Amino acid sequence: MNPLELLATILLIPLASAAIICLFLRRGGYAAAAVSVVAAFGIMCLSFYFLFNWDGLAVTGALPWLELGDYKFELGFLFNYEAATMLAVVAFIGFWIHVFSVGYMDDDKDKGRFFGGLSIFMFSMLGIVLADNLFMIFIFWELVGFSSYMLIAHYWDKDFAAAASKKAFIVNRIGDFGFLVGIAWAYHYYGTANISEITAIIQVDPSKTVTGIGLLLMCGFVGKSAQFPLQVWLTDAMAGPTPVSALIHAATMVAAGIYFMVRIFFLLTPETLEWIMWSGAIMTSFAGFCALGQNDIKKSLAYSTLAHLGYMATAIGLGFPGLAIMHMAMHACFKATLFLCSGSLIHACHHEQDMFKMGGLAKKMPITFIAFFVATLSICAVPFTAGYYSKDTIIASAWGLFAHGDGTQYAWAFGLTMLGALLTALYMGRMLFVVFFGQPNSEKASHAKESSLWMTLPLIVLGWGLSLGAGWFVYDWIWAGGAMDAMLPTDVAHFMVNGFSEAAPGWKGAHHIYEEAHAPWVEWLSYGCIAGGLIFCWFFYGRGPSADRLQTKAPGLYHVFERHGWFDNIYDAYVAKVQQPFANFISLLDVAVIGGLLVRGSAAVAGLVGMVSRSLHVGNIHAYVFWFLAGVVLFSAFALGLL
Amino acid sequence: MDNFYNTLILLAIDIPMAAAIVLLFGKKLGESVSKIIAGIGFIAPALIAIYLWCSFGDAPKEYGYAYLRSFDLGLHETLGISLTLGLNGISAPLFLLAGLVGVAAGLQAIMSKAERKSTYLLLLLVMQAGLMGVFASVDIFFFYFFHELALIPTFIMIGIWGGFGRRAAAMEMTVYLTLGAMLSLLGLIYIYQATDWEGFNLIALTEYVKANSISEVVQHNIFGLLLFGFGILVSLFPFHSWAPRGYAAAPTANAMLHAGVLKKFGLYGLVQIAAPLVPEGALAWNPVLIWLALGNILIIGLVTIAQRDLKMMIGYSSVMHMGYIFLGIATYTVAGVGGAVILMFAHGLSVALMFVLATAVYQRTGTYDMRAIGGLGMKAPILAGFFVAATMASIGLPGFANFWGEFTIFIALWKNYPWAVAPAVLGVIISAIYGLRASAHIFMGPQTEAFAVASEGKTITDITRAERIPAIILLIGLAMVGLWPRSISESINEQLLTQPVYSPATMASVEQSAKPVAATAEQKEEPAS
């Protein structure tokens, strides 16, 4: 099988799985689950088989899909380093989330719909990873939107799930609006939609980058990765089952936005990058504050995802796309763990999601606790955990660029992301101590038991293993002096290392710029933030409290965090007070002015006269002339006896 | 062998007609027999259409037409009219569309509970014969004739079997559509006159236009008549108000055939007849057409959002989607017009599918008011699945045919009218809003009290076979083109490339002469991009 066929197989496996479930296993229960999990396993095995045998050269190939005149639409693959990293993340994390789902959804009636949706999600995401042109990315982009719609609406008899799914899809479409206009512009400006060809054009003539195209394409990223001002769908999307949240937040949907920006990094102008950097850096601390104002464990984690997407966006804005991909990969490990842990907790506490009704779960659920603990350290960027390598480098490189004299905006980015790091320690510490320490605060929590092996095994792999060690690859370590090569040869991780650090301006470049600044205090400051934040939480929130101390002591401040900038209220008000009345008004005009005149006179000739006179009011000289002519022709036709 | 194919086309028109005649005289046949006869009348043309479609690629072609054959009915000498049948790259997919929607609507009608069923089926069969004829006609007189043949049953059916407000709707529709048809007939006769009364054969007309030139003023007038004549038939803004009310009142099968297929008559006329024969007129009217098409998308889009009645919403959304097709035509490029033809095909299937499913919803809930329903998905999950799929198809989700049409039109539009792309793409958001709202209102969330009271004591079944079969036929068509767009784009592409009006080179030379109008229009419109 040649590489292209292998990639096509990887892409088509989940589609086949979804088709089988949709056609034959709608009520299949565990059979549907089995098909989906086996498909995910197949994707993982084939992906790693492919990655281990990959020589590092870009793989491309295309099939004409639609041709009309000079307009060509191709279905093609472009496989390079960033795609390699992304494929590894999607395939690996995706598989473990599938496994977890089997345990989590054990009491659900609609397993067929759920697992079919997971397969469609994998298919859409793999399509984005492999696509070689903007058109094809857009197709899978829309399909990702649809898959998330389907999965968020899983509990569709509940109002909130219906509303959340609708919101996710529509908000994403708002982003896609700009994306699509950008694609049309880019296609006509460069004469092609193929990413490699556009890259070549820009390499020859770097002046052919256009800020407008970059900003429009960025709209797609803003929608899918839930960046300002379209971040509102992400927290509502928690209405879906928890494994879906894990999938959306770690390996698929929001990661797709980052990945896309990295793919088109070459056509972004400095203006676009600065915009991305500002919006990302502000998001890191804004979302951090919001996370402090949520009692629902999943919503708090959702804001944490927003903050970390902000870090990735900042990395892109700083000019280190490889670093963004690396943080995406590290984040995928620990965020998947955190969501799966929260799923394990929620499942054990019979669908209780309020952290302050949990408490004291460390002893009852030790495996979940350890995984959560490691992931917390990792997301806070404690040295040598996965998050440390990427997150800390983003913060430090922002300072590095400022010290290098590139502009004061980098000092702002540094400050905001550093504040974000402090906030990460605060909201994660709060979550950790409230949920796992002290005593159970509710009947449900006191009966909690450790989850089944279906759920704990993914936690061990992703939490104990990857959240801890995923970042070690960047140092090109020779494992145990080469003795381990038989089991884990160094070049196994070659594709990862390259994806992060060498191929694009990535980890190495960012690290280098920081080292040049000779500012070891930056490192110490971030350690201080982590330690300070966690220690503060230990004393402020206490161990396993039954109420949020911030909420009781400073309800006003808590309320500000909870309302997360009143974005939802503003948008809801717009829809209810502006959009709908406007639509109703237009509809009234349509009925009264356009329809009304006719209906009144529809008896016979009056209708005709009404129509003619109405069209005279179109205010268009052509129409006037036309109607005049039409009248003349009509009468002459009658006169000549043609009618 | 050639004769065999030609005969097949003729049979596709004659079989439903013959079935209608049998039903007309065989009132005493009994219901099951008349059902079988009607079934043959709908299934045969569909099978023929599929068969001809599959063999279209390899068939020998004259002037781009496969299966070409003329039948002189005695009018050739005097008026230059003869029944000429054949399919080219544009009409072949639409012929297939007529067959597919016809069989879906026919089966829906056969399995429905309509009163005076044999008359109902009879009228539908006449309609079906007309529809097959419209797209198979190479002679523009018969093209028009078959349209009228299909149109008249529509009025009668709305008047007799229609729902609430059928009289007003039928009257409004009759007045509007008659006017539209009259204007288009005038336009066609004008063409006849402008080409020296040679005849109505499209091939001959095309050759005439190649050899002789028609003066600019005449072209301008002809296209104006055809644009507004066809435009009214296709519900071009602001001549649309007949459509949503008409469809809301029409019986389901009739709405499927009219919205799905018959409405494509006007668009087909613009693509196949008007633009190629009078290209200068087409370009001169273009600024007007673009604005009206944007009116279809944006204004009618907003009106669609305001609808509470499911059938009205589908009717308005169908008017809205016509805007994309008009925009595609207005690009006068192979890509744009090709996208328009793909979208014609896709929209025909998807709107028919929406009507089938809306009726299914009505039969379970007794209302079309979306706010009065809720949580139907728990009782009828498969129906919900079909409905969501149909909604996604109609709002242009990749994987369904509509996507290719819309996407291609947007991309092609940038070439000549970059400022119009952003407003047109806004429609993508608008359609997501009303489409998902409808799905959420009807199928998701808890049951509303009104619905719970109304359905108390009744068992609500999931989708029945009678609803499922037409839905599956339509859905397969949508998915087939959605997954493999080349299946229909190749023939369209080949045909469009042969017509000079759609190729950029001629466009440029013609544009010079049409400049004054275009220039003033562009000045106003510049800032939007």
Side-chain angles (χ1 to χ4, degrees), chain B residues 392-474:
Chain B
M392 287 294 166
S394 90
I395 69 175
L397 188 81
F400 295 108
N402 306 54
F403 168 78
W404 296 105
E406 287 182 20
F407 188 82
T408 309
I409 289 168
F410 293 143
I411 301 290
L413 192 58
W414 187 279
K415 194 164 191 176
N416 295 320
Y417 302 94
W419 58 269
V421 174
V425 176
L426 265 185
V428 167
I429 304 176
I430 291 176
S431 45
I433 293 175
Y434 65 69
L436 295 196
R437 255 192 207 171
S439 307
H441 270 306
I442 297 170
F443 291 100
M444 300 184 186
Q447 274 197 354
T448 56
E449 268 180 41
F451 177 40
V453 172
S455 65
E456 206 171 19
K458 278 187 258 176
T459 45
I460 293 181
T461 54
D462 207 339
I463 194 164
T464 60
R465 187 184 291 165
E467 293 151 351
R468 196 193 299 231
I469 292 170
I472 289 178
I473 293 172
L474 297 168

Side-chain angles (χ1 to χ4, degrees), chain A residues 47-291:
Chain A
S47 299
F48 280 91
Y49 170 77
F50 180 84
L51 288 167
F52 292 157
N53 292 301
W54 181 48
D55 52 9
L57 299 173
V59 178
T60 57
L63 200 66
W65 208 237
L66 175 68
E67 273 180 69
L68 287 167
D70 50 0
Y71 160 79
K72 281 190 183 54
F73 192 114
E74 289 182 330
L75 191 71
F77 293 151
L78 167 62
F79 194 84
N80 53 13
Y81 280 111
E82 66 246 16
T85 311
M86 195 73 196
L87 179 65
V89 169
V90 174
F92 190 79
I93 311 259
F95 167 69
W96 287 108
I97 291 173
H98 274 72
V99 172
F100 183 89
S101 305
V102 177
Y104 188 82
M105 302 302 282
D106 56 1
D107 54 354
D108 198 279
K109 290 195 303 293
D110 290 318
K111 289 196 188 63
R113 182 151 49 85
F114 178 81
F115 282 96
L118 284 188
S119 286
I120 276 284
F121 215 144
M122 291 294 276
F123 167 68
S124 324
M125 192 59 207
L126 289 169
I128 293 181
V129 173
L130 298 173
D132 80 333
N133 64 69
L134 296 173
F135 296 161
M136 190 174 154
I137 291 181
F138 184 79
I139 286 196
F140 287 99
W141 200 258
E142 287 279 293
L143 287 178
V144 164
F146 167 72
S147 334
S148 67
Y149 168 77
M150 186 174 163
L151 287 167
I152 294 167
H154 183 75
Y155 302 120
W156 59 341
D157 51 341
K158 303 285 187 297
D159 263 336
F160 64 84
S165 58
K166 200 173 69 180
K167 185 170 176 180
F169 193 89
I170 292 173
V171 171
N172 265 292
R173 273 237 159 163
I174 294 173
D176 292 349
F177 159 72
F179 189 20
L180 185 48
V181 177
I183 290 176
W185 187 354
Y187 176 70
H188 286 281
Y189 188 77
Y190 297 111
T192 172
N194 187 298
I195 291 175
S196 324
E197 286 171 18
I198 301 178
T199 316
I201 291 171
I202 289 177
Q203 267 167 359
V204 172
D205 181 7
S207 67
K208 287 206 89 171
T209 51
V210 180
T211 307
I213 293 178
L215 285 175
L216 283 169
L217 292 178
M218 194 186 81
C219 290
F221 153 74
V222 167
K224 200 110 306 185
S225 286
Q227 291 298 296
F228 172 81
L230 298 181
Q231 75 279 31
V232 287
W233 67 267
L234 191 67
T235 41
D236 289 38
M238 293 298 110
T242 310
V244 175
S245 311
L247 201 57
I248 289 180
H249 286 247
T252 56
M253 194 159 172
V254 297
I258 299 291
Y259 175 73
F260 172 65
M261 286 319 265
V262 172
R263 277 232 146 169
I264 60 157
F265 182 78
F266 59 89
L267 58 73
L268 302 176
T269 56
E271 291 79 24
T272 321
L273 288 178
E274 192 171 340
W275 173 267
I276 295 173
M277 187 201 77
W278 275 107
S279 102
I282 292 171
M283 192 53 90
T284 56
S285 34
F286 169 74
F289 282 118
C290 298

Side-chain angles (χ1 to χ4, degrees), chain A residues 255-447:
Chain A
I258 299 291
Y259 175 73
F260 172 65
M261 286 319 265
V262 172
R263 277 232 146 169
I264 60 157
F265 182 78
F266 59 89
L267 58 73
L268 302 176
T269 56
E271 291 79 24
T272 321
L273 288 178
E274 192 171 340
W275 173 267
I276 295 173
M277 187 201 77
W278 275 107
S279 102
I282 292 171
M283 192 53 90
T284 56
S285 34
F286 169 74
F289 282 118
C290 298
L292 284 173
Q294 297 296 331
N295 287 342
D296 184 320
I297 184 167
K298 281 172 74 182
K299 287 209 166 155
S300 198
L301 283 175
Y303 280 110
S304 140
T305 305
L306 274 185
H308 282 263
L309 289 166
Y311 279 105
M312 298 172 213
T314 311
I316 293 171
L318 295 173
F320 302 116
L323 186 58
I325 280 284
M326 177 182 175
H327 193 52
M328 192 276 301
M330 300 301 151
H331 176 261
C333 299
F334 57 69
K335 191 49 67 64
T337 309
L338 290 171
F339 267 111
L340 294 185
C341 284
S342 78
S344 170
L345 295 168
I346 291 166
H347 192 261
C349 296
H350 304 283
H351 294 275
E352 179 57 66
Q353 304 199 5
D354 187 340
M355 299 187 249
F356 292 93
K357 296 207 170 120
M358 297 178 178
L361 292 172
K363 280 180 234 122
K364 293 176 189 294
M365 305 176 71
I367 300 175
T368 307
F369 168 67
I370 296 173
F372 196 95
F373 181 71
V374 174
T376 301
L377 297 184
S378 190
I379 194 174
C380 293
V382 169
F384 308 113
T385 58
Y388 166 74
Y389 296 98
S390 54
K391 187 176 170 184
D392 221 43
T393 312
I394 294 172
I395 302 173
S397 64
W399 181 260
L401 285 171
F402 171 67
H404 190 253
D406 288 1
T408 46
Q409 73 269 31
Y410 296 114
W412 280 101
F414 167 74
L416 286 164
T417 46
M418 186 60 98
L419 177 61
L422 173 66
L423 288 162
T424 310
L426 286 174
Y427 61 72
M428 287 315 299
R430 170 177 179 256
M431 213 179 287
L432 183 71
F433 301 139
V434 168
V435 170
F436 289 100
F437 289 79
Q439 296 304 321
N441 288 316
S442 68
E443 188 75 6
K444 287 173 175 173
S446 57
H447 296 303

